[in-house]
Amino acid sequence: MSFPTYQQIQVGDTLPPLTLTPVDRTTLALFAGASNDHNAILIDIDYARRAGMPDVFAHGMLSMAWLGRLLTQWVDQRQLREFGVRFVGITHLGHRITCTGRVVEKYEANGEQRVKLELRTANQYGETRILGDAVVAL
C-alpha cells in the first residue's frame, strides 16, 4: 500500500472519503458485542422509545471507529499521533455515513513532519454527526 509523503501533501488536500452501508440493527448488535457496550438505548427499541427516541441509534464510538478507518486507509496506524472527536448529532438507523478529512496544517514537531486534519462524519442528508481532528506524522 502506498501512503502519502509530507512533500506530496498540501494544506487543503482531502482524504479519499469513506462511505459506509446504511446503519442497521445487525451492525449495532455486532458493535455492542465487540465493544462490550450494551447500553440499552442503543440496542433495545422499547427502552429507546421509553427514553423518548424513535428507535435505537448508533454508538458514538462506532462512528469514531469509522473515522479511524478513514485515517488508517490513508496512512499506517503507527503514524497517528493524535485523534479526537466531538459528538454533535445522533446517527440513526438507516443513516448512510460518509467520513471525510481535510489537511488544515503542515508543521514539524519532535523531529517529525506532521499534518493536522479536520475530520467529519455526515449522513446522507449532509447533517454532521461527528467533528474531529487528528495529527499524523508523514
Side-chain angles (χ1 to χ4, degrees):
M1 182 176 238
S2 175
F3 297 120
T5 66
Y6 187 78
Q7 292 71 26
Q8 293 171 320
I9 299 300
Q10 301 301 319
V11 170
D13 286 354
T14 58
L15 281 63
L18 172 66
T19 299
L20 290 302
T21 59
V23 175
D24 61 20
R25 293 177 198 287
T26 300
T27 300
L28 300 185
L30 291 171
F31 189 79
S35 65
N36 198 31
D37 182 353
H38 301 282
N39 186 326
I41 202 166
L42 304 173
I43 56 177
D44 181 337
I45 187 171
D46 295 326
Y47 187 93
R49 285 184 176 159
R50 283 194 304 273
M53 298 302 296
D55 206 334
V56 297
F57 52 92
H59 301 71
M61 294 305 290
L62 174 58
S63 293
M64 188 174 183
W66 289 331
L67 283 174
R69 186 188 311 173
L70 172 77
L71 290 169
T72 59
Q73 287 180 348
W74 189 62
V75 295
D76 187 286
Q77 67 185 11
R78 293 172 292 186
Q79 294 172 256
L80 190 60
R81 298 296 179 262
E82 296 177 22
F83 179 31
V85 301
R86 195 167 42 102
F87 303 103
V88 297
I90 294 173
T91 299
H92 292 282
L93 288 175
H95 279 186
R96 183 177 186 90
I97 297 298
T98 298
C99 301
T100 56
R102 184 173 66 89
V103 177
V104 295
E105 184 180 354
K106 289 177 71 171
Y107 64 97
E108 292 192 24
N110 297 324
E112 295 180 320
Q113 296 176 319
R114 297 180 178 183
V115 294
K116 183 173 184 174
L117 305 161
E118 286 181 347
L119 306 171
R120 176 180 184 245
T121 70
N123 62 22
Q124 68 270 33
Y125 309 112
E127 299 166 334
T128 300
R129 306 288 98 190
I130 290 183
L131 291 172
D133 55 45
V135 173
V136 174
L138 295 176

